[in-house]
């Protein structure tokens, strides 16, 4: 695939689709993991994926304790088989919270955190549905992230216990409200010097290399970049199992500077749609690169 062919695929990313997905997600009163409304949001995501033609789409159920009460939670897993079984995973959490993380009743639209990542993930699934890929790919939507990465911990264990060949993982967590600069994406690599966020050193080099690949592709989609380290999101349970992970993030998870973080004002009208579109294109380009599509 040459550069013009790549650009043609990237142009399939639709801002209008991203708006549609994100607005619908934010319409749910809350997506708190203790609220039954989260299950309704999960059904919406599942049905969107099935509507795109993904028959191998299912809920991955697990039980977890939140605030001393047991809940049955569900991740959403959508898989497209490739020529081989080596797996690329692109993931995002679909739950959200208020500043008081125990509050499961108040209005919590969660547009940027993390409706932005979820909408991008659905749009990636739409575009890749009709592409012939070398590697298999999973689009995975986690619940319970805000209560301590519950969904990703459970699913990382499932991947490990079933000896699934997870090749690379890209995590999308808050990608619609650029905070460092209007056009800058933070590329998170597995090189954190804090051992609480980097349990396995043997996978660092390949993560850093993937970060370089992503960095090199930012100019293709009109973005600037800032290199940083993985920290407190759904890639960490997979890193702890030894897998190669990376993340993208807009830098806005700072309640001292961002008034919308974990707030009822985290609404679609605060999303930078051009930025979200460009970040979605970046992830698409990197997935195609990992897949040796071009």
């Amino acid at each position: 695939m040459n550069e013009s062919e790549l650009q043609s695929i990237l142009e399939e990313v639709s801002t209008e689709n991203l708006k549609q997905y994100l607005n619908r997600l934010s319409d749910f009163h809350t997506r708190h993991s203790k609220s039954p409304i989260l299950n309704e949001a999960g059904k919406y995501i599942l049905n969107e994926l099935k509507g795109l033609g993904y028959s191998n789409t299912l809920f991955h159920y697990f039980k977890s304790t939140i605030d001393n009460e047991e809940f049955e939670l569900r991740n959403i897993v959508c898989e497209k088989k490739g020529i081989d079984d080596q797996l690329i995973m692109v993931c995002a959490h679909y739950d959200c919270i208020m500043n008081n993380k125990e509050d499961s009743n108040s209005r919590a639209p969660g547009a940027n955190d993390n409706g932005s990542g979820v909408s991008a993930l659905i749009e990636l699934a739409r575009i890749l549905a009709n592409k012939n890929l070398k590697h298999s790919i999973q689009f995975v939507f986690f619940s319970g992230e805000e209560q301590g990465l519950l969904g990703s911990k459970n699913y990382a264990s499932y991947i490990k216990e079933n000896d699934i060949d997870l090749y690379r993982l890209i995590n999308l967590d808050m990608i619609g409200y650029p905070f460092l600069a209007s056009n800058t994406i933070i590329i998170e690599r597995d090189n954190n010097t804090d051992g609480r966020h980097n349990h396995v050193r043997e996978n660092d080099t390949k993560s850093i290399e993937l970060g370089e690949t992503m960095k090199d592709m930012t100019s293709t989609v009109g973005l600037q970049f800032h290199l940083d380290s993985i920290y407190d999101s759904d890639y960490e349970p997979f890193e702890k199992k030894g897998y190669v992970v990376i993340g993208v993030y807009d830098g806005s998870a700072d309640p001292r500077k961002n008034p919308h973080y974990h707030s009822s004002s985290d609404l679609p009208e605060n999303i930078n749609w051009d930025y979200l579109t460009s970040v979605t294109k970046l992830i698409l380009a990197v997935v195609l690169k990992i897949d040796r599509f071009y």
Side-chain angles (χ1 to χ4, degrees):
M1 177 185 296
N2 58 37
E3 187 66 25
S4 65
E5 291 171 320
L6 172 64
Q7 285 295 340
S8 178
I9 293 178
L10 298 185
E11 287 305 312
E12 294 182 37
V13 174
S14 165
T15 303
E16 288 307 309
N17 284 347
L18 292 169
K19 287 181 179 180
Q20 176 186 319
Y21 303 142
L22 199 151
N23 280 321
R24 182 66 186 92
L25 287 163
S26 296
D27 280 345
F28 290 101
H29 179 73
T30 181
R31 300 193 309 278
H32 195 286
S33 293
K34 295 196 299 184
S35 171
I37 299 174
L38 181 65
N39 293 337
E40 297 303 312
K43 290 177 186 176
Y44 161 71
I45 296 168
L46 185 88
N47 289 334
E48 283 292 323
L49 296 165
K50 287 191 171 182
L52 295 172
Y54 288 99
S55 57
N56 191 8
T57 301
L58 49 84
F59 288 124
H60 183 263
Y61 294 93
F62 64 100
K63 292 183 179 180
S64 198
T65 300
I66 304 173
D67 300 330
N68 299 313
E69 184 179 354
E70 186 176 72
F71 291 86
E72 183 177 71
L73 303 179
R74 55 186 76 175
N75 299 321
I76 303 156
V77 181
C78 171
E79 183 166 353
K80 174 184 172 68
K81 285 292 187 182
I83 296 171
D84 61 38
D85 290 329
Q86 203 166 45
L87 182 67
I88 300 169
M89 185 187 298
V90 193
C91 56
H93 73 90
Y94 70 103
D95 61 308
C96 65
I97 57 169
M98 296 287 286
N99 282 326
N100 175 6
K101 67 163 52 180
E102 296 180 5
D103 180 0
S104 60
N105 297 312
S106 295
R107 171 72 172 127
N112 192 43
D113 188 13
N114 185 33
S116 59
V118 172
S119 60
L121 199 49
I122 298 172
E123 181 66 353
L124 290 168
R126 182 188 71 83
I127 294 165
L128 291 171
N130 62 358
K131 302 293 186 290
N132 295 319
L133 300 178
K134 179 179 186 294
H135 299 313
S136 297
I137 188 166
Q138 282 188 357
F139 309 96
V140 184
F141 305 77
F142 296 119
S143 62
E145 189 269 353
E146 301 287 7
Q147 283 72 35
L149 315 181
L150 302 179
S152 52
K153 285 177 179 176
N154 183 275
Y155 197 60
S157 294
Y158 174 85
I159 290 287
K160 193 70 173 181
E161 290 165 4
N162 287 273
D163 200 27
I164 295 171
D165 187 7
L166 178 55
Y167 176 56
R168 296 290 185 270
L169 180 148
I170 304 173
N171 185 58
L172 318 180
D173 193 354
M174 304 180 67
I175 55 172
Y177 186 75
F179 207 68
L180 283 180
S182 62
N183 216 28
T184 300
I185 185 67
I186 298 173
I187 299 171
E188 300 171 309
R189 302 145 313 145
D190 182 19
N191 64 345
N192 201 314
T193 57
D194 186 337
R196 294 173 299 173
H197 304 287
N198 187 351
H199 290 269
V200 180
R201 298 293 179 178
E202 289 77 12
N203 51 15
D204 290 13
T205 299
K206 290 181 179 179
S207 172
I208 293 167
E209 289 173 355
L210 182 54
E212 289 297 307
T213 297
M214 184 176 287
K215 180 194 78 174
D216 292 343
M217 304 192 83
T218 52
S219 60
T220 302
V221 297
L223 289 171
Q224 302 295 316
F225 65 87
H226 174 76
L227 298 176
D228 213 325
S229 304
I230 65 170
Y231 180 84
D232 277 354
S233 193
D234 284 314
Y235 33 42
E236 289 200 347
F238 294 89
E239 188 279 335
K240 193 173 183 179
K241 302 288 186 186
Y243 298 111
V244 177
V245 306
I246 198 170
V248 287
Y249 163 54
D250 59 23
S252 65
D254 187 341
R256 298 167 300 175
K257 300 177 182 178
N258 176 10
H260 310 303
Y261 182 60
H262 290 171
S263 166
S264 59
S265 65
D266 185 7
L267 293 162
E269 50 259 43
N270 295 314
I271 295 294
N272 182 324
W273 297 107
D274 289 340
Y275 178 81
L276 177 56
T277 302
S278 294
V279 176
T280 305
K281 289 180 178 181
L282 176 64
I283 303 309
L284 177 58
V286 173
V287 168
L288 295 173
K289 184 71 172 180
I290 295 171
D291 195 64
R292 304 169 197 155
F293 200 86
Y294 71 98

